Amino acid sequence: MAEVSEILMSVLSTIRVPRPGDRVHKDECALSFATPESEGGLYVCMNSFLGFGSKYVERHHLRTGQRAYLHITRTRKTQKEDENNSGSGDPPKKKPTRLAIGIEGGFDVEREQYEEEVKVVLFPDRQEVTKEDLATMPDVVRDRVMLSINGLMAADSVSHTLQVQQWDGEVRQESKHAADLKQLDNGIKIPPSGWRCEVCDLQENLWMNLTDGKVLCGRRYFDGSGGNNHALEHFQQTGYPLAVKLGTITPDGADVYSYEEDDMVLDPKLPEHLTHFGIDMMTMEKTERTMTELEIAVNQRVGEWEVIQESGTALKPLWGPGLTGMKNLGNSCYLNSVVQVLFTIPDFQDKYVSNIDKILDEAPSDPTQDFKTQVAKLGHGLLSGEYSTDPGDDPSAEHRDDQVGIAPRMFKNLVGRGHPEFSTNRQQDAQEFLLHFINMVERNCRSGLNPSEAFRFLVEERIVCQQSQKAKYTQRVDYIVQLPVPMDQATNTEELQEAERRREEAEAAGTPPPPIPRAKIPFAACLAALSEPETLTDFWSSAVQTKTTATKTTRFASFPDHLVIQIKKFTFGLDWVPKKLDVSIDVPDTLDLSALRATGQQPGEELLPEVAPPPLMTPDVEVKAPVLDDSTVIQLCEMGFPLEACRKAVYYTGNTGIDAAMSWVMGHMEDPDFAAPLVLPGSSSAPGTTPTESVSEEHLATIVSMGFSRDQATRALRATSNVLERAVDWIFSHLDDLESMDVSEGGRSEGASEGSRDPPPGPRVRDGPGKYELFAFISHMGTSTMCGHYVCHIKKDQQWVIFNDQKVCASEKPPKDLGYLYFYRRVAE
């Protein structure tokens, strides 16, 4: 022990005590998904506080020279618990009564109990030092090491801090209307029971408006149940903002909804407001479920969405390489589904998994913050099979067919950091996350293989002026095909009409409406809706120098190796309330899009005269400010948009009309400089001088990685005030201009011969036949993308497999007609 004491004394200066703000990784390995519960436990560096599994701790020691690690092992205590009290002596598990996590009455967080053992391990010989051993060592050694141990054990781990352990969904804000709510003296008095909707006589889901006392039914739910929207319609007609749900009033309070604030709210003057209409809170009893109870019921019924989750079938659990489940970290099923699909694609496997040893060897000192390392860690965790075992042999699996799986906490934290939505534990849109992740891959793959190229393709838009019959061609890059859902093309129209007739009869009779059948839409109709010409009624034609009608057709200028199709199920009703289209689409297993290949300019076809594109503030060209179409600017301003934003919209769309300008506005409303003054060329830098605005090196690298030269990327960024998204749009709409640029990269002089020039600029896209086969799809359950649940189905070795978070099973009836995102791969000819 004297020898060990001497070693500790020699490394004492490297043993730190955690301070506030230090990131302590004591629950998860930085390079794998090993935890203190894993075989071999977890080793926490007592200097950097990074955690490493037994497989990687040696690597960290050799690379850094650190010798002292705190070895943490946890063993799960055996805990038998039965919801109906099996006689174990423990109380039965209580059902949640509160829409919350980690507080009394809410949903439980993990309740496992562990026996924990800690000791110091000294490398390279792995000499172990227990607390009892430390007691026999010199005071200076014992005190310093014990301070570090106690500090590490007391500190919150990063994963624990990031995981929402306590969340209360019932915390409501006081309504801004409550304090000064005006109530009409109309003599209305509400009886304590026997309520009916004053419009349709419905007797449930009733809301009383707190301004005029009107009793009306609530909103209609996505499945046709609920009310008939009469309370909402009353607000839209009168503007009276607050309503209380009858049947939820008790001496403790009631459900109050603010239509203007679009949320459940608090009304501190509720007793007074109810008394105005003859309601005494102290004598009322609850007769209906509150909105919270309804939400809790939905959260408990996730397993009842039988079709998509195949819950009605006894599914065979699967495990092994490529069949690893993922823990749901709290509404992270959208992330789980997307990455499960991505890591079946060879490009992502080759980039991040095949050379994982090289990636880990080159990882920075803090690999938890490195994008490439964490993506490689995730891919290896999913494909290696190390974390995929027979769930029947694992006592920690909650259900017989649930794996323990991997918990992508570090990955989720890294890809969501700084993002207003993905950094939260709220449910998100899987399509938006897919694009967000592809964007991160683009930014982090400035050299070498870029796996997002597997999805990248070019779209050609052809606009034909109907007055002059002259055409204009533009190209843009895209990653996802968005298919519209033409509801008027349903093949079961008669069944839908009959259901609507029965619903109207039920509404008139004041009885609950019958279920609404699912509309059946042919996939061919969706594809036709995508490819059919779109009429532009307010197109400014450069040929006739006035506004006229034009048609726009969209075609594929290239076909990607992997095609992603999004079914546009989410839309807005006439009242601008978001809703999900309940449709069944016969999505095919094979797909031939060859007929949608773009053909470019046709023989004998005349092109529209070039509208002067947004000029560039370049040091070698003097340009004049363009004349903006004032009528379009005025139209946009009348819609309520800022003047400068309207001027930018007209400017950046080249005076091409209100439709194009409106599209620009909707696509740039979140830009930080949306309402900033439009700086016209020549106004901020004189001819022959260098523009004062610097160009972001990160943005330059991103555009260059797409196949453009540095000069071209610089020009695009300067033309768009250094905004990356706008620069990418600009560069694809100015390919003709860019082709004439002299490229001076790579040491080549500007006066190089024509034969030595690079090929015409453009994005680095792959192209090939437009024939595909379906290999995966992601399905969504719920009323909107912001709630509900996602699962994915992936075809592996000709067998469909369902990935439902930790549950990985052979699929018996893959619901291919109910998907949201579909993934196809090119069929080799």
Side-chain angles (χ1 to χ4, degrees):
M1 195 54 62
E3 179 186 353
V4 173
S5 179
E6 289 178 6
I7 297 175
L8 276 174
M9 180 68 77
S10 68
V11 300
L12 209 56
S13 62
T14 67
I15 296 178
R16 297 174 52 225
V17 179
R19 294 172 296 183
D22 281 338
R23 299 168 59 87
V24 177
H25 297 272
K26 63 178 183 180
D27 284 340
E28 180 182 347
C29 174
L31 304 178
S32 72
F33 290 95
T35 69
E37 298 91 67
S38 303
E39 184 177 355
L42 193 73
Y43 294 82
V44 180
C45 173
M46 299 181 77
N47 180 268
S48 66
F49 309 134
L50 292 171
F52 297 93
S54 57
K55 181 179 178 180
Y56 293 105
V57 62
E58 189 83 29
R59 180 195 297 256
H60 183 259
H61 158 67
L62 294 174
R63 184 172 179 179
T64 64
Q66 294 296 329
R67 299 188 63 183
Y69 293 81
L70 184 65
H71 186 215
I72 307 175
T73 56
R74 295 189 193 129
T75 305
R76 193 186 306 270
K77 292 181 180 178
T78 303
Q79 184 179 28
K80 296 181 179 180
E81 180 179 67
D82 187 272
E83 289 193 10
N84 298 314
N85 198 344
S86 60
S88 63
D90 294 326
K93 182 185 293 186
K94 294 181 180 178
K95 290 187 177 181
T97 59
R98 187 176 181 84
L99 188 63
I101 296 174
I103 64 177
E104 181 65 27
F107 288 87
D108 285 339
V109 293
E110 292 186 10
R111 296 169 28 142
E112 293 90 342
Q113 299 296 317
Y114 294 96
E115 293 178 351
E116 196 166 57
E117 180 183 353
V118 297
K119 55 192 172 187
V120 176
V121 176
L122 299 174
F123 280 74
D125 298 326
R126 299 198 182 222
Q127 294 160 299
E128 298 181 353
V129 184
T130 65
K131 292 183 179 180
E132 290 75 15
D133 295 332
L134 287 172
T136 66
M137 294 184 181
D139 292 351
V140 64
V141 174
R142 180 191 66 235
D143 293 346
R144 178 71 175 183
V145 176
M146 285 304 301
L147 278 174
S148 180
I149 293 175
N150 293 335
L152 282 169
M153 299 311 297
D156 279 338
S157 68
V158 173
S159 61
H160 177 87
T161 303
L162 295 174
Q163 184 181 11
V164 175
Q165 290 291 330
Q166 182 166 308
W167 168 76
D168 193 344
E170 296 183 44
V171 174
R172 297 171 182 171
Q173 302 299 316
E174 180 178 330
S175 172
K176 63 182 181 181
H177 302 289
D180 302 314
L181 184 70
K182 293 182 180 178
Q183 294 187 281
L184 304 183
D185 291 322
N186 51 14
I188 290 180
K189 298 298 177 184
I190 305 298
S193 61
W195 311 295
R196 291 176 180 269
C197 174
E198 297 182 21
V199 176
C200 66
D201 283 341
L202 203 63
Q203 299 179 47
E204 57 184 17
N205 191 20
L206 299 176
W207 297 76
M208 184 191 78
N209 192 285
L210 289 173
T211 296
D212 61 5
K214 288 282 189 181
V215 175
L216 300 162
C217 61
R219 301 185 193 226
R220 181 182 301 127
Y221 302 144
F222 76 101
D223 60 355
S225 62
N228 294 310
N229 292 329
H230 291 138
L232 172 63
E233 292 170 1
H234 183 64
F235 159 72
Q236 293 169 341
Q237 295 165 4
T238 64
Y240 299 156
L242 299 183
V244 60
K245 186 175 185 183
L246 297 177
T248 69
I249 303 171
T250 69
D252 297 322
D255 275 359
V256 179
Y257 188 82
S258 172
Y259 288 101
E260 183 178 320
E261 295 161 286
D262 195 22
D263 205 353
M264 302 298 295
V265 296
L266 292 177
D267 178 3
K269 291 188 174 182
L270 184 60
E272 175 185 331
H273 292 154
L274 292 174
T275 301
H276 181 85
F277 295 108
I279 299 176
D280 182 1
M281 278 183 64
M282 303 308 295
T283 64
M284 298 297 289
E285 295 182 358
K286 188 168 83 72
T287 59
E288 279 217 11
R289 289 194 292 181
T290 65
M291 299 306 292
T292 293
E293 290 168 335
L294 289 172
E295 290 189 56
I296 290 172
V298 169
N299 278 281
Q300 288 184 296
R301 281 172 33 224
V302 170
E304 295 175 5
W305 297 333
E306 294 181 353
V307 177
I308 289 180
Q309 297 189 115
E310 304 185 58
S311 302
T313 308
L315 301 180
K316 176 186 176 183
L318 300 176
W319 60 91
L323 298 169
T324 303
M326 297 180 68
K327 287 185 179 179
N328 193 318
L329 305 179
N331 288 325
S332 64
C333 51
Y334 68 92
L335 178 151
N336 294 351
S337 297
V338 168
V339 298
Q340 288 281 14
V341 174
L342 290 182
F343 277 104
T344 65
I345 296 173
D347 296 79
F348 284 87
Q349 296 175 357
D350 294 343
K351 176 71 176 182
Y352 296 110
V353 182
S354 297
N355 59 343
I356 186 170
D357 287 334
K358 183 174 184 292
I359 292 174
L360 298 186
D361 285 339
E362 297 173 352
S365 57
D366 186 358
T368 67
Q369 302 302 301
D370 182 60
F371 180 81
K372 184 188 290 186
T373 303
Q374 291 307 310
V375 177
K377 167 185 166 179
L378 177 65
H380 181 264
L382 291 175
L383 299 180
S384 66
E386 291 181 15
Y387 310 98
S388 177
T389 57
D390 183 352
D393 296 336
D394 197 316
S396 65
E398 183 178 350
H399 301 291
R400 171 62 181 81
D401 49 0
D402 282 0
Q403 300 178 10
V404 174
I406 60 176
R409 293 189 181 94
M410 286 186 187
F411 173 81
K412 184 177 185 295
N413 174 49
L414 189 62
V415 299
R417 188 172 56 199
H419 192 281
E421 292 298 333
F422 300 128
S423 60
T424 71
N425 273 12
R426 295 191 293 269
Q427 184 62 278
Q428 304 298 335
D429 186 342
Q431 179 257 0
E432 291 181 3
F433 177 74
L434 173 60
L435 288 178
H436 171 71
F437 183 66
I438 286 176
N439 187 39
M440 293 196 74
V441 172
E442 293 276 13
R443 295 203 307 264
N444 286 275
C445 292
R446 296 168 182 169
S447 61
L449 175 65
N450 182 350
S452 65
E453 290 178 13
F455 300 122
R456 193 189 298 156
F457 62 94
L458 282 178
V459 175
E460 178 188 274
E461 291 183 347
R462 175 176 180 260
I463 299 178
V464 178
C465 167
Q466 293 302 291
Q467 192 166 336
S468 66
Q469 291 302 307
K470 295 181 179 180
K472 173 184 178 181
Y473 290 85
T474 59
Q475 286 189 343
R476 59 179 171 85
V477 73
D478 216 332
Y479 296 88
I480 294 179
V481 176
Q482 294 183 311
L483 275 191
V485 180
M487 296 297 290
D488 59 341
Q489 298 294 312
T491 58
N492 58 337
T493 303
E494 293 183 2
E495 181 186 10
L496 295 172
Q497 292 174 343
E498 175 62 20
E500 179 63 19
R501 184 187 63 79
R502 293 199 306 269
R503 188 197 65 78
E504 292 175 354
E505 290 177 353
E507 181 177 334
T511 58
I516 298 177
R518 181 174 289 127
K520 297 179 180 179
I521 311 295
F523 181 82
C526 300
L527 209 56
L530 173 73
S531 58
E532 67 184 9
E534 175 186 355
T535 301
L536 308 178
T537 58
D538 208 15
F539 177 74
W540 189 85
S541 171
S542 58
V544 297
Q545 293 293 304
T546 187
K547 291 180 180 179
T548 184
T549 302
T551 57
K552 181 176 78 172
T553 54
T554 302
R555 294 291 185 270
F556 289 88
S558 69
F559 287 116
D561 287 351
H562 292 79
L563 183 72
V564 185
I565 294 178
Q566 176 195 15
I567 304 297
K568 297 178 68 174
K569 290 186 174 184
F570 299 97
T571 183
F572 291 91
L574 297 176
D575 54 1
W576 288 99
V577 174
K579 67 176 183 178
K580 177 181 175 181
L581 301 177
D582 188 19
V583 294
S584 169
I585 300 176
D586 59 338
V587 176
D589 288 318
T590 59
L591 192 59
D592 188 353
L593 300 178
S594 303
L596 297 183
R597 166 80 74 172
T599 55
Q601 184 178 357
Q602 301 300 298
E605 184 180 52
E606 291 189 60
L607 298 181
L608 283 165
E610 281 294 327
V611 176
L616 256 3
M617 293 183 292
T618 53
D620 55 340
V621 180
E622 180 178 5
V623 292
K624 295 182 180 180
V627 177
L628 300 180
D629 183 356
D630 288 337
S631 62
T632 305
V633 174
I634 292 172
Q635 281 183 272
L636 291 173
C637 287
E638 289 176 347
M639 297 179 190
F641 299 111
L643 172 62
E644 291 299 332
C646 300
R647 297 182 71 229
K648 286 182 184 178
V650 176
Y651 173 69
Y652 285 117
T653 55
N655 286 330
T656 53
I658 186 65
D659 288 337
M662 187 64 186
S663 296
W664 186 96
V665 167
M666 300 308 292
H668 294 81
M669 290 180 66
E670 301 301 323
D671 290 355
D673 62 343
F674 178 65
L678 170 64
V679 179
L680 294 174
S683 61
S684 62
S685 58
T689 64
T690 302
T692 57
E693 183 181 19
S694 61
V695 175
S696 164
E697 284 295 327
E698 182 179 359
H699 292 353
L700 271 176
T702 299
I703 297 177
V704 169
S705 73
M706 300 174 70
F708 298 99
S709 73
R710 185 178 179 87
D711 291 346
Q712 294 159 352
T714 300
R715 186 174 181 183
L717 287 166
R718 285 179 175 165
T720 55
S721 303
N722 210 26
V723 178
L724 177 61
E725 290 77 10
R726 287 166 49 191
V728 173
D729 289 341
W730 188 93
I731 206 168
F732 285 115
S733 62
H734 293 77
L735 291 177
D736 292 339
D737 297 336
L738 294 173
E739 284 182 16
S740 62
M741 286 185 64
D742 284 323
V743 182
S744 57
E745 278 195 297
R748 182 166 53 82
S749 67
E750 293 186 7
S753 66
E754 186 70 29
S756 65
R757 288 190 177 185
D758 290 339
R764 189 178 292 118
V765 295
R766 306 170 189 174
D767 198 5
K771 296 181 179 180
Y772 295 92
E773 64 178 359
L774 183 69
F775 74 93
F777 61 96
I778 294 174
S779 306
H780 172 268
M781 296 157 281
T783 56
S784 84
T785 55
M786 299 299 112
C787 66
H789 186 58
Y790 287 96
V791 303
C792 70
H793 286 72
I794 303 174
K795 199 171 188 178
K796 291 178 176 281
D797 298 326
Q798 302 306 310
Q799 164 70 56
W800 282 101
V801 178
I802 179 173
F803 291 82
N804 185 358
D805 291 333
Q806 291 170 255
K807 180 184 296 184
V808 181
C809 298
S811 173
E812 297 293 335
K813 299 177 181 178
K816 289 181 285 187
D817 60 323
L818 301 180
Y820 175 48
L821 296 176
Y822 293 88
F823 295 79
Y824 285 84
R825 58 187 163 219
R826 195 194 316 276
V827 176
E829 290 189 333

